[in-house]
Amino acid sequence: VTHSLEEKSPSAAVDLRGRSEFGFISALRGELSFLRTQVREQLERAGALDGPFVSIEHLRTLTDAALQDSRELSVIGETLHWSRAVTTPRAVAAFERSRDALEPLATWEGPPPLDGINDSVPGYWDYEFHGTTGGWDGHEHMGFIHFEIVYQLLLANAYGDIFATRGVVAAEAPSDSYSRIVDLGAGTGQYSMKLAETYPDAQLTLVDISETSLNYALRRAANAGLRWDAVRAPAESTGLASGEFDLVTSFILLHEVPPPVAGKIFEEAYRLLQPGGHLHFSDVTPYRVRSRYQAWLDDWDAEIGNEPWWRSAATLDLVELAESAGFVDVQQRGLGSDSYPWVTTATKPGRA
Ligand SMILES: C[S@@+](CC[C@H](N)C(=O)[O-])C[C@H]1O[C@@H](n2cnc3c(N)ncnc32)[C@H](O)[C@@H]1O
């Protein structure tokens, strides 16, 4: 049994204009489900979803041909483009309009994350993932803006309790208790908070390249009476001491990095773990275990949604990456409906 550590969200302090803009965007996106049903019927009528899954390239050849004249798909695409283009600028504008009320809630005045980056971020990270204008650190309070405005007012509205999924993943790590956990690509600590609720005796170390996200994660932790360690560094090269952790975990990090970096992240996890320690990564679902419709939808959404590494993450052999890094007992499974998120768990051989 876990308990929630957090109090009411500061998103309540966003002004009426900001809240109604995000209410409008999420209502509009919700209404697309009607058009999505029609697109699915177009694909079915054209036979594009028949037969076994061969490869995503093969599937896309069939689906792209079937949908080349689909007005419904164009409307969905344009609506999503528009909503992604306006989301971060409107969230930033909402923050600026209420800066006096929000900045005190956004600021972290304690010790900053350890700097393992020296102002040189990897090129693949400096990118506007899903339309994040200016990238993950595009504003001095982007961590707060993302978590408290975009996530709370737009995504949570559209997808229900997206934070509950992180709790399910946290509870699925192989042991009932851990003492030292690393959360790679921790962002604003959404998943870290679930780890803290699930393993209350563990000391958490958060790793991310985004300074504003880590700052806000530390602020949220302090609000909940927690003290986390945080390191601003790439997950593939954390600078943390070797063999000191019993769990290295991540939630939706791997689809944000190119495949060679994903391999290095498994190697770094191996280095950080003590013998007998566990790796527990969760990310996007492989296309091969999706229905053909869902595989097409994931791939199309990722393409128009500025997700350059989604396809490679959904087709990479993570078992092979884990085994090449030295892990044993590598296991995979899908957790929620339609096998999302997809979890990879493994053990570093030896005894602690
Ligand atoms: C989709 S967010 C997920 C955040 C968090 N795990 C959560 O539960 O919400 C992905 C995060 O990965 C970070 N990231 C991307 N590539 C990274 C890398 N190579 N090393 C560390 N962090 C990275 C981004 O800065 C971002 O904060």
Side-chain angles (χ1 to χ4, degrees):
V1 177
T2 60
H3 58 289
S4 174
L5 289 164
E6 291 198 277
E7 304 285 2
K8 198 166 136 230
S9 163
S11 62
V14 171
D15 67 355
L16 181 61
R17 174 172 162 189
R19 278 183 286 128
S20 55
E21 282 178 351
F22 281 97
F24 173 75
I25 297 170
S26 72
L28 189 65
R29 288 170 57 132
E31 285 309 304
L32 296 179
S33 62
F34 175 71
L35 296 175
R36 287 188 187 273
T37 306
Q38 289 179 303
V39 169
R40 185 177 187 149
E41 285 165 8
Q42 288 160 0
L43 287 170
E44 281 165 357
R45 272 200 301 280
L49 304 179
D50 297 343
F53 178 79
V54 179
S55 70
I56 191 61
E57 291 80 6
H58 173 253
L59 179 61
R60 283 300 298 265
T61 307
L62 301 176
T63 55
D64 289 356
L67 296 173
Q68 62 180 341
D69 297 321
S70 170
R71 287 179 50 211
E72 290 76 9
L73 190 72
S74 307
V75 174
I76 298 171
E78 293 306 331
T79 308
L80 292 178
H81 272 308
W82 175 82
S83 77
R84 286 184 175 122
V86 300
T87 291
T88 310
R90 288 193 187 218
V92 168
F95 178 87
E96 295 300 350
R97 283 195 305 276
S98 302
R99 189 181 260 268
D100 289 352
L102 292 176
E103 192 166 35
L105 306 173
T107 305
W108 168 241
E109 282 169 345
L114 283 181
D115 183 9
I117 205 123
N118 297 321
D119 273 334
S120 130
V121 300
Y124 65 82
W125 182 84
D126 207 3
Y127 183 82
E128 299 189 340
F129 287 94
H130 30 79
T132 317
T133 312
W136 286 116
D137 277 347
H139 181 282
E140 64 185 302
H141 289 299
M142 194 62 107
F144 175 91
I145 289 170
H146 263 283
F147 183 71
E148 298 296 352
I149 303 182
V150 178
Y151 280 109
Q152 303 287 357
L153 296 184
L154 181 65
L155 300 182
N157 224 348
Y159 298 109
D161 188 356
I162 51 175
F163 308 110
T165 309
R166 289 163 167 83
V168 172
V169 172
E172 285 285 320
S175 294
D176 292 338
S177 73
Y178 290 101
S179 57
R180 295 204 62 192
I181 299 176
V182 182
D183 181 5
L184 298 174
T188 53
Q190 286 153 267
Y191 177 54
S192 325
M193 199 58 84
K194 296 298 177 188
L195 290 166
E197 288 169 9
T198 313
Y199 307 105
D201 299 330
Q203 179 59 34
L204 258 65
T205 301
L206 281 62
V207 176
D208 204 289
I209 301 171
S210 166
E211 184 178 19
T212 66
S213 297
L214 286 177
N215 280 337
Y216 193 55
L218 293 174
R219 172 66 197 257
R220 288 176 56 218
N223 290 351
L226 302 171
R227 235 349 258 282
W228 293 339
D229 298 322
V231 183
R232 186 180 185 214
E236 61 274 26
S237 167
T238 62
L240 291 165
S242 301
E244 297 216 333
F245 299 90
D246 49 4
L247 178 66
V248 176
T249 187
S250 72
F251 187 87
I252 58 171
L253 161 69
L254 294 177
H255 76 283
E256 292 216 354
V257 300
V261 176
K264 290 197 178 116
I265 290 175
F266 278 86
E267 289 166 14
E268 180 70 352
Y270 189 90
R271 186 185 72 76
L272 295 175
L273 284 167
Q274 62 190 40
H278 296 135
L279 168 143
H280 183 56
F281 287 172
S282 73
D283 215 279
V284 302
T285 309
Y287 291 155
R288 65 187 156 75
V289 304
R290 287 291 222 194
S291 66
R292 276 170 64 113
Y293 172 70
Q294 196 61 51
W296 165 76
L297 186 60
D298 286 359
D299 198 62
W300 183 81
D301 265 346
E303 182 188 315
I304 64 161
N306 267 21
E307 295 277 11
W309 310 114
W310 186 295
R311 182 185 283 195
S312 53
T315 50
L316 261 182
D317 186 346
L318 299 185
V319 174
E320 192 188 310
L321 292 190
E323 288 177 347
S324 304
F327 285 101
V328 295
D329 194 17
V330 185
Q331 300 191 15
Q332 293 196 303
R333 64 197 179 284
L335 291 184
S337 61
D338 231 340
S339 294
Y340 177 83
W342 185 254
V343 171
T344 305
T345 302
T347 304
K348 178 165 175 171
R351 290 171 78 92

